[in-house]
Every structure is written in structure tokens, then in C-alpha cells.
Amino acid sequence: MEYFSSSSSVLISLRNRVNSYLSEYEPILLVVTPLTALLIASTLHSFLNHIQNQGFKSAFIGFFMNSIKLIPFVKNYIDAEKQKVVDKMQSGGKSKRDGWQTELPKVGLGGHVIDKLREEKEKDVAWQGKCSGTVYIGGNDSERHFSLINEAYSMFAHTNPLHQDVFQSVVRFEAEVVAMTAALLGSKETASGGQICGNMTSGGTESILLAVKTSRDYMRTKKGIRKPEMIIPESAHSAYDKAAQYFNIKLWRVPVNKEFQADVKAIRRFVNKNTILIVGSAPGFPHGIIDPIEELGELASSMGICLHVDLCLGGFVLPFARKLGYPIPPFDFSVEGVTSISVDVHKYGLAPKGTSTVLYRNHEIRKHQFVAVTEWSGGLYISPTIAGSRPGGLSAGAWAAMMSLGLEGYLQNTREIMEVSKQIQKGIKEIPELFIIGRPDMTIVAFGSNDLDIFEVNDIMSSNGWHLNALQRPNSLHICVTLQHVSVVEDFLRVLKEAVQTVKANPGPVKGGMAPIYGAAGKMPDRGMVHDLLVDFMDSSC
């Protein structure tokens, strides 16, 4: 009893002292001070997190720019300047919307609508042979393989694989497209485990989104990860940024090594208890270079995490290039640690646009891709991909493309485009003002310059009808070689050489060109402003 009495006396004495000390302050101050301290601590915590994610320089610049934008006249000036850039990016795009249909015609056009379609189609850019990637099938859009997949699509344009009991044909087509694609990527090899499975999707972005979502949910079940993170090389496709935003995953972008490949040692340093996924590309979109998939597989296996391989570009080239004797490093399910792969059939698979596949090492992983709903009044619901209803015509077109070409057809196509790729590399090396970035493994050739503005070269190429891809870090261009380029490779090299000489003799932006915009964006320290420019551009474009 004496112990408790003594303790009570001490507490009462302490309370009296504290109350006596606090009585000197205004009550409102006693309430506001801790709230203010909490607010400051929360702000500081957010700022430190931003520094950790973006780096001190980026965080400081972002904080500074957001602060000065609070000044009305500064914000108005910045908004006006941004709009000027957006208008320039549009190249007068707003006026193109004049005359667009905004409501249903009172009287339908009937069969004459086909004439209207032809009229609008004639306004498109002449893409035959002059676009980087874009169209992978050879010839024009009214002959040979085009006609075949168009007919296949039209036969099944009314179908929907969602209704498996009704459209059993397209369900079979999808399953066979997945199985044939998987066979190209190691499903028949013992090392794959014999359970490779997957689904068709609408394109590479959906395939990547599904692989990321599946990895997130699989690792939540397997390791209890509730705050997921994924690590990708900076050359990885922007679809991973989209996936990170959609699925609330923290994303770490890691610089590539001197060979422009994924830096495995750097990636290892970012792996922690919340890591669900690392990524490799075969090849990467910017430079056509294959990441060290075997090393990434070893890292994923040792850490007990997922590894996704982006084969959207390479899936229908690399297996055949290997058969033709090209030195292609391991990249598929034969590599231990690879848990998922994305492969576009609508690129070098020569299927209709809107067809891709996502593959998994086993069914245990793939089950986490599906969405099942049990409590809906509309009945029991299960969907394998992001879309519910899907166009069965695309599945039929993809199946038709693969079955019509066969192994020999793909081998012949690969032989031609790999040869054209080598010709382009050789031609670029003969232009002293240019250099090739890294050592391309496939059919993408990226090149830059230390002597002139490569984006001005791009503007000259555009004025001559050539549409290449502009890249950054470093500033460069690339051409993704397709069957369209087989017959025009000499013309491409001639125009490129002339464009370089034109820029060298007359440096400076081309009127109406995009070089100033690319250059300004590359030099903007506030990447948030570049982000806003892109968003404003898209908002005014669709």
C-alpha cells in the first residue's frame, strides 16, 4: 500500500508542476503548437520520401517550381507558354477537328459509308516502307498477307471469346495461338517445367499490365507483401510506369550499364523485402539490345521474386534468328527464374493489330491474373484479362497469320529483316557524323551524333516522308526494321546521309519541326513541367 501511495504522490506532484508550467501559455497556443508540429513533420516526411524516390535535385526543383506557381502572374505566364508548346506539338491539330462528326447523321449513309471510309483513309500519311515499326507486314494493305488476315477477321468479326459456349472456334484459336507461341519460347524444353500457360491480350501494354498485376498478387500470397515494389532498367517500356500507377506499386528505374543493358548489380542493390518483380527486355525498345536475362534469372531465383521478360518485339524474331545461326543469348523459359513473358503477335508475328500474348511458367502463377466475382446479382463472373468482351476476329486473324506462315515463313522473314538491319548498321557507320548506340541484337538500330542536333536530322527525314522514333538519354533516333524496309533500305540510307549533310551545312531548327521541342524538353530541369506538357497535348488530341 505504501508503494502505491508513494507513486500516486509522485504523479500528482508531476501533474501540478506541468500544469503550473503550461499555465504561462495561451490555451490556443497549446492546441495549435502540436498540430503545427505534426503538419511540419508530415510535410518533411513527404519531402524526404520524394527525395528518396526522385533524388534531391529533382525534389528541390519540383518544390521550387510548385512554390513559384502559387504566384498568379507567374502561373498565368507558365500556362501561356505551355499552351504555345502544345499548339506547336499539335502542328495546327486543333483545326483538324473542324468538320468532325459530333452527332449521328439524321439519315444513315448505308453502303455509301464505305466511300466515306476510303476518302478519309486517303488523308493518312503514306506509311508504306517509310515508318519505323508501325506496319510489320510487307507489301501494301490490299494484297497477299493483308488480304488473308482481313478475310479471317471479317469471318469472325461478330464473335466474342467471352461467350465460350457459343464461339468455341475462337476459343480454340486463342488456345492454339498461346500454345504455338509458348512452344517458340521454351515450353517444350525440360527446363521450363512443362506447365507454360497464358492468354491472348489486346497488345503488349495489356500483356505487361497483366504480368505485373499477377506478380503483385502472387507475391502477396507467397510472401505476404502488402507494399509492393518493382525494379526495372530505364530502357524498359513505359507500360511498367502505367502498371505502377494502375496497381499502386512503387517503381524503381535503374540506369543501364555502358552497354545499354540492364545493370544487374545496380538492380540487386534496390531489392528489398517489398520487391515483387524485376524486369528484363529481349530486346529493349529504345536500342534493340537484349538484357542479360540469365543473370536476372539468377538474381530473381536467389531472392525469391518474379522476373518478367518483355519479348513484345523479339518474340517472333529471336527464336528464328537463333535457328538461323545468329548469336542470340538465352531469353525465354529455358532460363531459370523467368516467371512471365509478354509477346506481341501483331508485330513480327504479322497478325492483325490488337493481338498479343502473356505467358506464365505455371498455372499457380497465372491463376492470380484472373478476376472472379461471386456476389454479383448478374450471376457468377470470371474474366481472364482486363477486357471482358473481346473481338474474336482478332484471335482468328492471329491464328490465320501463324498457320499460313508456318516455321519456314517466319524463318524467311527473319532472314530478310536481320539482313536489312545489318545493312543499315553498316550504312550508318559509314556516315562519320553519326554513331550507333550499343550493339543491336536484333532489328532496331539506334543512332546519335556528337557533331549535330540529331532531332534536326529527324525533322529533315520527316520532311522527306520518313517517320523515325526520337529517343532521349542520350538524344538519338531509331528505326525498327520491318518487311516494309526490305526494298527501300538503300533509299533510307541515301536520305539519311543527305539529311545529315543538310543539317551540318545549315544548322538550326526546321520551320514547323519538332527539334526545338525535343531539345527544350531534354533541357528542362523540372520534369513535372514536361509531364504537364504531355498531358495537355493528349488532352487536346482526343
Side-chain angles (χ1 to χ4, degrees):
M1 289 291 291
E2 291 181 3
Y3 172 77
F4 288 110
S5 177
S6 175
S7 298
S8 179
S9 298
V10 170
L11 290 175
I12 291 172
S13 175
L14 179 62
R15 184 188 68 181
N16 291 335
R17 288 181 182 179
V18 171
N19 286 336
S20 175
Y21 175 76
L22 294 178
S23 66
E24 300 177 10
Y25 298 91
E26 291 286 341
I28 187 65
L29 188 62
L30 296 177
V31 173
V32 170
T33 299
L35 292 177
T36 303
L38 184 62
L39 178 62
I40 292 173
S42 177
T43 303
L44 183 60
H45 180 262
S46 298
F47 184 66
L48 291 175
N49 274 343
H50 190 67
I51 290 176
Q52 183 183 22
N53 293 339
Q54 305 294 331
F56 177 80
K57 181 179 179 182
S58 175
F60 177 79
I61 291 173
F63 176 78
F64 175 76
M65 291 301 298
N66 288 332
S67 297
I68 66 171
K69 287 176 188 176
L70 295 175
I71 305 172
F73 79 87
V74 174
K75 182 179 185 301
N76 292 338
Y77 175 78
I78 292 175
D79 288 344
E81 291 302 307
K82 281 197 301 183
Q83 189 57 50
K84 290 179 183 178
V85 176
V86 170
D87 291 344
K88 190 172 180 62
M89 291 172 73
Q90 288 281 7
S91 297
K94 287 186 176 180
S95 63
K96 293 179 183 178
R97 302 179 70 90
D98 294 342
W100 283 15
Q101 197 76 28
T102 58
E103 58 185 33
L104 284 171
K106 184 176 182 180
V107 178
L109 299 180
H112 293 295
V113 74
I114 300 299
D115 297 329
K116 182 65 174 174
L117 287 170
R118 290 196 182 99
E119 178 184 331
E120 291 301 319
K121 184 179 180 181
E122 289 176 358
K123 299 176 185 177
D124 288 344
V125 169
W127 50 264
Q128 289 85 349
K130 290 196 171 185
C131 289
S132 172
T134 311
V135 179
Y136 293 77
I137 303 169
N140 64 53
D141 58 355
S142 63
E143 62 182 11
R144 299 195 299 273
H145 191 79
F146 280 105
S147 297
L148 183 144
I149 60 174
N150 287 343
E151 184 174 355
Y153 181 92
S154 64
M155 287 175 63
F156 293 87
H158 61 287
T159 66
N160 183 352
L162 181 67
H163 303 286
Q164 297 187 24
D165 55 333
V166 179
F167 303 115
Q168 298 177 28
S169 55
V170 293
V171 172
R172 174 179 175 175
F173 294 152
E174 285 207 353
E176 292 188 357
V177 166
V178 170
M180 288 188 287
T181 304
L184 294 174
L185 303 174
S187 69
K188 303 298 183 180
E189 298 181 28
T190 304
S192 73
Q195 289 193 50
I196 306 301
C197 53
N199 295 90
M200 286 192 69
T201 73
S202 63
T205 292
E206 187 185 357
S207 291
I208 288 171
L209 289 175
L210 286 171
V212 172
K213 184 266 183 192
T214 302
S215 299
R216 183 198 66 178
D217 294 354
Y218 174 64
M219 294 301 287
R220 179 187 298 163
T221 300
K222 183 180 178 183
K223 300 178 72 173
I225 297 176
R226 299 290 173 178
K227 296 181 178 179
E229 301 181 12
M230 64 177 170
I231 309 164
I232 66 174
E234 64 182 11
S235 57
H237 198 276
S238 54
Y240 297 100
D241 295 82
K242 185 179 287 189
Q245 292 184 36
Y246 284 1
F247 305 132
N248 196 26
I249 299 171
K250 188 172 185 177
L251 177 67
W252 297 102
R253 270 193 179 271
V254 180
V256 293
N257 62 23
K258 293 180 180 180
E259 287 74 41
F260 294 90
Q261 293 177 304
D263 189 330
V264 181
K265 291 182 179 179
I267 289 174
R268 182 187 296 273
R269 289 194 289 270
F270 280 84
V271 176
N272 59 47
K273 65 179 182 179
N274 291 319
T275 303
I276 60 166
L277 175 70
I278 59 176
V279 168
S281 303
F285 169 82
H287 312 121
I289 296 171
I290 298 174
D291 288 328
I293 304 302
E294 277 190 311
E295 293 179 44
L296 290 170
E298 291 174 5
L299 175 59
S301 295
S302 65
M303 296 294 183
I305 57 180
C306 296
L307 167 60
H308 179 74
V309 179
D310 182 355
L311 273 162
C312 289
L313 269 168
F316 280 84
V317 175
L318 296 181
F320 308 111
R322 176 185 285 167
K323 288 181 180 293
L324 292 171
Y326 286 91
I328 305 298
F331 59 85
D332 56 19
F333 284 113
S334 63
V335 176
E336 183 181 358
V338 173
T339 52
S340 58
I341 290 177
S342 51
V343 190
D344 284 359
V345 195
H346 65 202
K347 289 189 172 74
Y348 292 105
L350 307 191
K353 287 298 181 184
T355 51
S356 179
T357 61
V358 57
L359 305 172
Y360 299 95
R361 183 170 287 276
N362 55 51
H363 293 270
E364 180 188 0
I365 301 173
R366 186 180 67 153
K367 286 178 181 178
H368 293 277
Q369 174 182 293
F370 306 152
V371 172
V373 181
T374 61
E375 306 306 311
W376 179 36
S377 59
L380 300 177
Y381 179 87
I382 179 74
S383 177
T385 58
I386 292 176
S389 293
R390 290 177 291 123
L394 290 177
S395 304
W399 185 87
M402 295 176 71
M403 292 294 288
S404 67
L405 288 166
L407 176 62
E408 291 301 323
Y410 284 117
L411 284 170
Q412 178 58 32
N413 290 344
T414 301
R415 184 180 291 109
E416 291 184 15
I417 57 178
M418 289 294 282
E419 177 58 32
V420 169
S421 175
K422 298 302 178 186
Q423 285 181 253
I424 289 176
Q425 290 181 54
K426 181 176 180 294
I428 291 174
K429 288 177 181 177
E430 293 173 352
I431 302 175
E433 294 82 5
L434 302 180
F435 64 86
I436 293 176
I437 295 178
R439 300 176 62 184
D441 290 301
M442 210 183 79
T443 52
I444 294 174
V445 184
F447 53 95
S449 176
N450 292 322
D451 302 318
L452 39 79
D453 189 332
I454 197 67
F455 297 136
E456 292 180 13
V457 173
N458 193 34
D459 285 342
I460 299 295
M461 295 293 289
S462 295
S463 68
N464 282 281
W466 285 92
H467 304 278
L468 308 182
N469 293 95
L471 314 174
Q472 59 180 352
R473 299 178 182 174
N475 290 349
S476 51
L477 310 176
H478 90 202
I479 180 170
C480 178
V481 177
T482 73
L483 291 172
Q484 288 284 328
H485 301 122
V486 172
S487 61
V488 296
V489 59
E490 296 298 335
D491 182 58
F492 168 75
L493 291 172
R494 177 186 59 79
V495 175
L496 177 60
K497 187 177 296 185
E498 291 175 356
V500 168
Q501 294 307 312
T502 298
V503 173
K504 187 176 181 181
N506 301 284
V510 177
K511 184 178 181 180
M514 299 294 288
I517 296 172
Y518 278 109
K523 294 174 182 176
M524 279 185 186
D526 180 16
R527 305 310 289 172
M529 186 174 292
V530 180
H531 170 275
D532 291 346
L533 283 173
L534 293 176
V535 171
D536 289 347
F537 168 71
M538 181 55 64
D539 186 53
S540 61
S541 301
C542 60

